[in-house]
Amino acid sequence: MSDIETPFQQELGARDLADPREAEATHHEHPSAKEYIRIALILAVLTALEVATYYIDVGPLLVPTLFGLAVVKFALVVMWFMHLKFDSPTYARFFLMGLAGAATLYLIVLITFRVFLVE
Amino acid sequence: MADLAIDSQHGASGAHDEHATSTGLPNTKLAMWMFLASECMLFGALISTYVLYRGSSQTGPYPADVYDIPYTSVSSFVLLASSLTMVLALASAQKRDIVRMRLWLLATAMLGLTFVGGQVYEFTSFYDEGLSISTNLFGSTFYVLTGFHGVHVTVGILMLLSLVGFSTADRLPDDAAFPVEMVGLYWHFVDIVWIIIFTVVYLIPSPAPAPA
């Protein structure tokens, strides 16, 4: 293979070709079982709050509240159960690329079709 | 610079074939995250389609006529609980406690089966109430979205049971944590998709039906 480095290789340049296991081991340890249970309890409470919000009349705050709770639950699962908080940021970049791409594309589609327009 | 990927000796644990990589990260795990990123596009399209056609049905049944929020809330708790058992399976695998790992994997699969069973019951009751995939726009978008999610859960259950089977047959690598982590990533992704579906489809009320 050529000795010329591509920009991607240069970006990665600081890292040697290494055993992935060792590279993974340089990152933080995954949480303990107790921490997993604590996160699961928080998720259960947030879900209960979501369901309660559905039954309580909070007027125009309903949608923002439900979205806020869903985003917090989403982030907790991704960061703690899927370990993005502890693993290499490269995984987070890959995932966020897809997530942000999808969110941007479909928001544009929905805005184009005036879904958020209150008549 | 040397080749992007070169062969190397297996790790000291004699585990799976994980080669040295230019990123220093396992390619399998990177590929899994890329796959999950692409899945965001798929479910984004299905959720957007549901949102786009909310309140556009000309005939009933409408969401308010068929949804049973307490029932679906229990299903959501079941899927959340399965995410906990999945990470406990991973924690056991990392401690090389294979017996507990199998138990937690089986518990996850059982919770997944409970969720899918609940979804089948929900679909059946909706159908009995007159909502089929071709009844109206609500039926079409609802069944396609939640059906795709249900298929993903089913695939996850098959992967979990395969892991248990391979483990019982002693065909998992010495470091069983890696395959368990990969299946776990997929399983948690299915869970986060449900978090969004539960909010957007079930909890946010649909606008009033369009006049005929």
Side-chain angles (χ1 to χ4, degrees), chain B residues 155-194:
Chain B
V155 170
I157 293 166
L158 292 175
M159 290 200 288
L160 289 165
L161 294 177
S162 302
L163 270 181
V164 175
F166 281 128
S167 167
T168 310
D170 206 17
R171 289 179 60 191
L172 281 185
D174 288 346
D175 179 12
F178 190 75
V180 172
E181 188 181 5
M182 292 307 98
V183 173
L185 285 178
Y186 176 84
W187 190 260
H188 297 308
F189 179 78
V190 168
D191 185 24
I192 56 175
V193 169
W194 184 255

Short mmCIF file of all heavy atoms in Angstrom, two decimals, chain B residues 155-194:
data_model
loop_
_atom_site.label_atom_id
_atom_site.label_comp_id
_atom_site.label_asym_id
_atom_site.label_seq_id
_atom_site.Cartn_x
_atom_site.Cartn_y
_atom_site.Cartn_z
N VAL B 155 -36.45 -10.35 15.36
CA VAL B 155 -35.08 -10.68 14.93
C VAL B 155 -34.14 -10.64 16.14
O VAL B 155 -33.27 -11.51 16.30
CB VAL B 155 -34.60 -9.70 13.82
CG1 VAL B 155 -33.11 -9.86 13.55
CG2 VAL B 155 -35.41 -9.91 12.54
N GLY B 156 -34.33 -9.66 17.00
CA GLY B 156 -33.52 -9.56 18.21
C GLY B 156 -33.68 -10.79 19.10
O GLY B 156 -32.70 -11.31 19.65
N ILE B 157 -34.93 -11.26 19.23
CA ILE B 157 -35.19 -12.46 20.04
C ILE B 157 -34.43 -13.67 19.46
O ILE B 157 -33.80 -14.44 20.18
CB ILE B 157 -36.70 -12.75 20.12
CG1 ILE B 157 -37.41 -11.65 20.91
CG2 ILE B 157 -36.97 -14.11 20.76
CD1 ILE B 157 -38.92 -11.66 20.76
N LEU B 158 -34.48 -13.79 18.12
CA LEU B 158 -33.77 -14.90 17.47
C LEU B 158 -32.27 -14.81 17.74
O LEU B 158 -31.60 -15.82 17.99
CB LEU B 158 -34.05 -14.90 15.96
CG LEU B 158 -35.49 -15.24 15.55
CD1 LEU B 158 -35.68 -15.10 14.04
CD2 LEU B 158 -35.84 -16.67 15.98
N MET B 159 -31.73 -13.58 17.71
CA MET B 159 -30.30 -13.42 17.96
C MET B 159 -29.96 -13.79 19.41
O MET B 159 -28.95 -14.43 19.68
CB MET B 159 -29.87 -11.98 17.67
CG MET B 159 -29.90 -11.64 16.19
SD MET B 159 -28.90 -10.23 15.74
CE MET B 159 -29.83 -8.88 16.41
N LEU B 160 -30.84 -13.39 20.34
CA LEU B 160 -30.62 -13.71 21.76
C LEU B 160 -30.64 -15.22 21.98
O LEU B 160 -29.77 -15.78 22.65
CB LEU B 160 -31.70 -13.05 22.62
CG LEU B 160 -31.62 -11.53 22.76
CD1 LEU B 160 -32.93 -10.99 23.32
CD2 LEU B 160 -30.47 -11.15 23.67
N LEU B 161 -31.64 -15.89 21.37
CA LEU B 161 -31.75 -17.34 21.55
C LEU B 161 -30.57 -18.04 20.88
O LEU B 161 -30.08 -19.07 21.37
CB LEU B 161 -33.09 -17.84 21.00
CG LEU B 161 -34.33 -17.36 21.77
CD1 LEU B 161 -35.61 -17.85 21.11
CD2 LEU B 161 -34.28 -17.81 23.22
N SER B 162 -30.09 -17.48 19.75
CA SER B 162 -28.91 -18.06 19.09
C SER B 162 -27.70 -17.96 20.01
O SER B 162 -26.91 -18.91 20.11
CB SER B 162 -28.61 -17.33 17.77
OG SER B 162 -29.70 -17.41 16.92
N LEU B 163 -27.57 -16.80 20.67
CA LEU B 163 -26.44 -16.64 21.60
C LEU B 163 -26.50 -17.69 22.71
O LEU B 163 -25.47 -18.30 23.05
CB LEU B 163 -26.49 -15.25 22.25
CG LEU B 163 -25.76 -14.09 21.57
CD1 LEU B 163 -25.92 -12.83 22.41
CD2 LEU B 163 -24.29 -14.40 21.38
N VAL B 164 -27.70 -17.91 23.25
CA VAL B 164 -27.87 -18.91 24.31
C VAL B 164 -27.50 -20.29 23.75
O VAL B 164 -26.79 -21.07 24.40
CB VAL B 164 -29.31 -18.90 24.87
CG1 VAL B 164 -29.52 -20.03 25.87
CG2 VAL B 164 -29.62 -17.56 25.52
N GLY B 165 -27.99 -20.58 22.53
CA GLY B 165 -27.71 -21.88 21.91
C GLY B 165 -26.21 -22.09 21.69
O GLY B 165 -25.66 -23.14 22.04
N PHE B 166 -25.55 -21.06 21.14
CA PHE B 166 -24.10 -21.16 20.89
C PHE B 166 -23.35 -21.33 22.21
O PHE B 166 -22.38 -22.09 22.29
CB PHE B 166 -23.59 -19.92 20.17
CG PHE B 166 -23.88 -19.93 18.69
CD1 PHE B 166 -24.50 -18.85 18.08
CD2 PHE B 166 -23.52 -21.01 17.90
CE1 PHE B 166 -24.78 -18.86 16.72
CE2 PHE B 166 -23.78 -21.02 16.53
CZ PHE B 166 -24.42 -19.94 15.94
N SER B 167 -23.81 -20.61 23.22
CA SER B 167 -23.14 -20.69 24.52
C SER B 167 -23.29 -22.10 25.11
O SER B 167 -22.32 -22.67 25.62
CB SER B 167 -23.74 -19.64 25.46
OG SER B 167 -23.35 -19.88 26.76
N THR B 168 -24.51 -22.64 25.01
CA THR B 168 -24.75 -23.99 25.54
C THR B 168 -23.92 -25.03 24.80
O THR B 168 -23.42 -25.98 25.40
CB THR B 168 -26.25 -24.34 25.42
OG1 THR B 168 -27.01 -23.25 25.99
CG2 THR B 168 -26.60 -25.61 26.16
N ALA B 169 -23.77 -24.82 23.48
CA ALA B 169 -22.97 -25.76 22.68
C ALA B 169 -21.47 -25.46 22.78
O ALA B 169 -20.68 -26.08 22.07
CB ALA B 169 -23.43 -25.68 21.22
N ASP B 170 -21.13 -24.51 23.64
CA ASP B 170 -19.72 -24.13 23.86
C ASP B 170 -19.07 -23.64 22.55
O ASP B 170 -17.91 -23.94 22.28
CB ASP B 170 -18.93 -25.31 24.42
CG ASP B 170 -17.74 -24.83 25.24
OD1 ASP B 170 -17.73 -23.64 25.60
OD2 ASP B 170 -16.83 -25.63 25.49
N ARG B 171 -19.84 -22.92 21.77
CA ARG B 171 -19.32 -22.42 20.49
C ARG B 171 -19.11 -20.92 20.50
O ARG B 171 -18.85 -20.32 19.45
CB ARG B 171 -20.25 -22.84 19.34
CG ARG B 171 -20.17 -24.34 19.06
CD ARG B 171 -21.10 -24.75 17.95
NE ARG B 171 -20.80 -24.08 16.70
CZ ARG B 171 -21.60 -24.11 15.64
NH1 ARG B 171 -22.73 -24.79 15.69
NH2 ARG B 171 -21.28 -23.47 14.53
N LEU B 172 -19.24 -20.29 21.65
CA LEU B 172 -18.92 -18.87 21.76
C LEU B 172 -17.43 -18.73 22.00
O LEU B 172 -16.81 -19.62 22.58
CB LEU B 172 -19.70 -18.22 22.91
CG LEU B 172 -21.16 -17.86 22.68
CD1 LEU B 172 -21.69 -17.11 23.90
CD2 LEU B 172 -21.35 -17.01 21.45
N PRO B 173 -16.80 -17.62 21.57
CA PRO B 173 -15.39 -17.43 21.87
C PRO B 173 -15.17 -17.32 23.38
O PRO B 173 -16.11 -17.11 24.14
CB PRO B 173 -15.04 -16.12 21.15
CG PRO B 173 -16.33 -15.46 20.89
CD PRO B 173 -17.36 -16.52 20.78
N ASP B 174 -13.91 -17.46 23.78
CA ASP B 174 -13.60 -17.37 25.22
C ASP B 174 -14.11 -16.05 25.80
O ASP B 174 -14.62 -16.00 26.91
CB ASP B 174 -12.09 -17.46 25.44
CG ASP B 174 -11.59 -18.87 25.19
OD1 ASP B 174 -12.46 -19.78 25.12
OD2 ASP B 174 -10.38 -19.05 25.04
N ASP B 175 -13.93 -14.99 25.02
CA ASP B 175 -14.43 -13.69 25.45
C ASP B 175 -15.85 -13.52 24.89
O ASP B 175 -16.05 -12.93 23.83
CB ASP B 175 -13.51 -12.58 24.93
CG ASP B 175 -14.01 -11.21 25.33
OD1 ASP B 175 -14.92 -11.15 26.19
OD2 ASP B 175 -13.52 -10.21 24.79
N ALA B 176 -16.82 -14.08 25.61
CA ALA B 176 -18.21 -14.06 25.12
C ALA B 176 -18.81 -12.67 25.17
O ALA B 176 -19.86 -12.42 24.57
CB ALA B 176 -19.05 -15.02 25.94
N ALA B 177 -18.14 -11.74 25.87
CA ALA B 177 -18.73 -10.41 26.04
C ALA B 177 -18.90 -9.68 24.71
O ALA B 177 -19.85 -8.90 24.55
CB ALA B 177 -17.86 -9.58 26.98
N PHE B 178 -18.00 -9.94 23.75
CA PHE B 178 -18.07 -9.18 22.50
C PHE B 178 -19.35 -9.47 21.71
O PHE B 178 -20.09 -8.54 21.37
CB PHE B 178 -16.81 -9.41 21.65
CG PHE B 178 -16.73 -8.48 20.48
CD1 PHE B 178 -16.38 -7.15 20.64
CD2 PHE B 178 -17.03 -8.93 19.20
CE1 PHE B 178 -16.32 -6.29 19.57
CE2 PHE B 178 -16.97 -8.07 18.12
CZ PHE B 178 -16.61 -6.75 18.30
N PRO B 179 -19.65 -10.77 21.40
CA PRO B 179 -20.93 -11.01 20.70
C PRO B 179 -22.15 -10.57 21.50
O PRO B 179 -23.12 -10.09 20.92
CB PRO B 179 -20.93 -12.52 20.45
CG PRO B 179 -19.86 -13.09 21.30
CD PRO B 179 -18.87 -12.00 21.56
N VAL B 180 -22.08 -10.71 22.83
CA VAL B 180 -23.21 -10.28 23.65
C VAL B 180 -23.37 -8.76 23.53
O VAL B 180 -24.50 -8.25 23.42
CB VAL B 180 -23.00 -10.70 25.14
CG1 VAL B 180 -24.07 -10.08 26.03
CG2 VAL B 180 -23.02 -12.21 25.27
N GLU B 181 -22.26 -8.04 23.51
CA GLU B 181 -22.34 -6.58 23.38
C GLU B 181 -22.94 -6.18 22.03
O GLU B 181 -23.75 -5.24 21.95
CB GLU B 181 -20.94 -5.97 23.55
CG GLU B 181 -20.99 -4.45 23.62
CD GLU B 181 -19.63 -3.82 23.77
OE1 GLU B 181 -18.61 -4.53 23.72
OE2 GLU B 181 -19.60 -2.58 23.93
N MET B 182 -22.55 -6.91 20.96
CA MET B 182 -23.08 -6.57 19.63
C MET B 182 -24.60 -6.78 19.56
O MET B 182 -25.34 -5.93 19.06
CB MET B 182 -22.39 -7.42 18.54
CG MET B 182 -20.93 -7.12 18.31
SD MET B 182 -20.60 -5.39 18.00
CE MET B 182 -20.09 -4.84 19.59
N VAL B 183 -25.05 -7.92 20.06
CA VAL B 183 -26.50 -8.19 20.08
C VAL B 183 -27.19 -7.17 20.99
O VAL B 183 -28.29 -6.68 20.68
CB VAL B 183 -26.79 -9.65 20.53
CG1 VAL B 183 -28.28 -9.88 20.71
CG2 VAL B 183 -26.22 -10.63 19.52
N GLY B 184 -26.51 -6.83 22.07
CA GLY B 184 -27.08 -5.85 23.01
C GLY B 184 -27.27 -4.49 22.36
O GLY B 184 -28.29 -3.83 22.59
N LEU B 185 -26.32 -4.06 21.54
CA LEU B 185 -26.46 -2.77 20.85
C LEU B 185 -27.73 -2.76 20.01
O LEU B 185 -28.51 -1.79 20.01
CB LEU B 185 -25.23 -2.50 19.98
CG LEU B 185 -23.95 -2.08 20.70
CD1 LEU B 185 -22.81 -1.90 19.70
CD2 LEU B 185 -24.16 -0.78 21.47
N TYR B 186 -27.93 -3.85 19.27
CA TYR B 186 -29.13 -3.96 18.43
C TYR B 186 -30.39 -3.92 19.30
O TYR B 186 -31.37 -3.21 19.00
CB TYR B 186 -29.07 -5.27 17.63
CG TYR B 186 -30.30 -5.54 16.79
CD1 TYR B 186 -30.44 -4.98 15.53
CD2 TYR B 186 -31.33 -6.35 17.28
CE1 TYR B 186 -31.57 -5.22 14.77
CE2 TYR B 186 -32.45 -6.59 16.52
CZ TYR B 186 -32.58 -6.03 15.28
OH TYR B 186 -33.70 -6.26 14.54
N TRP B 187 -30.35 -4.66 20.41
CA TRP B 187 -31.53 -4.75 21.28
C TRP B 187 -31.88 -3.38 21.88
O TRP B 187 -33.04 -2.97 21.91
CB TRP B 187 -31.29 -5.78 22.39
CG TRP B 187 -32.54 -6.08 23.14
CD1 TRP B 187 -32.92 -5.58 24.34
CD2 TRP B 187 -33.61 -6.92 22.69
NE1 TRP B 187 -34.16 -6.07 24.69
CE2 TRP B 187 -34.60 -6.90 23.69
CE3 TRP B 187 -33.82 -7.70 21.55
CZ2 TRP B 187 -35.79 -7.61 23.58
CZ3 TRP B 187 -35.00 -8.42 21.45
CH2 TRP B 187 -35.97 -8.37 22.45
N HIS B 188 -30.86 -2.67 22.34
CA HIS B 188 -31.12 -1.34 22.92
C HIS B 188 -31.63 -0.37 21.86
O HIS B 188 -32.44 0.51 22.15
CB HIS B 188 -29.86 -0.79 23.58
CG HIS B 188 -29.38 -1.61 24.73
ND1 HIS B 188 -30.20 -1.98 25.77
CD2 HIS B 188 -28.19 -2.17 24.99
CE1 HIS B 188 -29.52 -2.72 26.62
NE2 HIS B 188 -28.30 -2.85 26.17
N PHE B 189 -31.15 -0.54 20.63
CA PHE B 189 -31.63 0.34 19.57
C PHE B 189 -33.13 0.13 19.36
O PHE B 189 -33.89 1.10 19.20
CB PHE B 189 -30.87 0.08 18.25
CG PHE B 189 -31.35 0.94 17.12
CD1 PHE B 189 -30.96 2.27 17.03
CD2 PHE B 189 -32.24 0.45 16.18
CE1 PHE B 189 -31.44 3.08 16.02
CE2 PHE B 189 -32.73 1.26 15.17
CZ PHE B 189 -32.32 2.58 15.08
N VAL B 190 -33.54 -1.14 19.36
CA VAL B 190 -34.97 -1.45 19.22
C VAL B 190 -35.75 -0.78 20.36
O VAL B 190 -36.86 -0.27 20.16
CB VAL B 190 -35.16 -2.98 19.21
CG1 VAL B 190 -36.62 -3.35 19.37
CG2 VAL B 190 -34.61 -3.58 17.93
N ASP B 191 -35.14 -0.73 21.54
CA ASP B 191 -35.78 -0.10 22.69
C ASP B 191 -35.91 1.41 22.49
O ASP B 191 -36.98 1.99 22.73
CB ASP B 191 -34.96 -0.42 23.96
CG ASP B 191 -35.62 0.09 25.22
OD1 ASP B 191 -36.85 0.27 25.21
OD2 ASP B 191 -34.91 0.31 26.21
N ILE B 192 -34.84 2.06 22.00
CA ILE B 192 -34.93 3.52 21.84
C ILE B 192 -35.92 3.90 20.72
O ILE B 192 -36.56 4.94 20.80
CB ILE B 192 -33.55 4.20 21.63
CG1 ILE B 192 -32.80 3.63 20.45
CG2 ILE B 192 -32.72 4.17 22.89
CD1 ILE B 192 -31.49 4.37 20.14
N VAL B 193 -36.03 3.03 19.73
CA VAL B 193 -37.03 3.30 18.68
C VAL B 193 -38.43 3.25 19.30
O VAL B 193 -39.29 4.10 19.01
CB VAL B 193 -36.91 2.30 17.51
CG1 VAL B 193 -38.09 2.41 16.56
CG2 VAL B 193 -35.62 2.52 16.74
N TRP B 194 -38.64 2.30 20.21
CA TRP B 194 -39.96 2.20 20.85
C TRP B 194 -40.24 3.42 21.73
O TRP B 194 -41.38 3.86 21.84
CB TRP B 194 -40.09 0.90 21.67
CG TRP B 194 -41.48 0.78 22.23
CD1 TRP B 194 -41.87 0.98 23.51
CD2 TRP B 194 -42.67 0.51 21.49
NE1 TRP B 194 -43.23 0.84 23.64
CE2 TRP B 194 -43.75 0.55 22.40
CE3 TRP B 194 -42.92 0.22 20.14
CZ2 TRP B 194 -45.06 0.32 22.00
CZ3 TRP B 194 -44.23 0.00 19.74
CH2 TRP B 194 -45.28 0.04 20.67
#
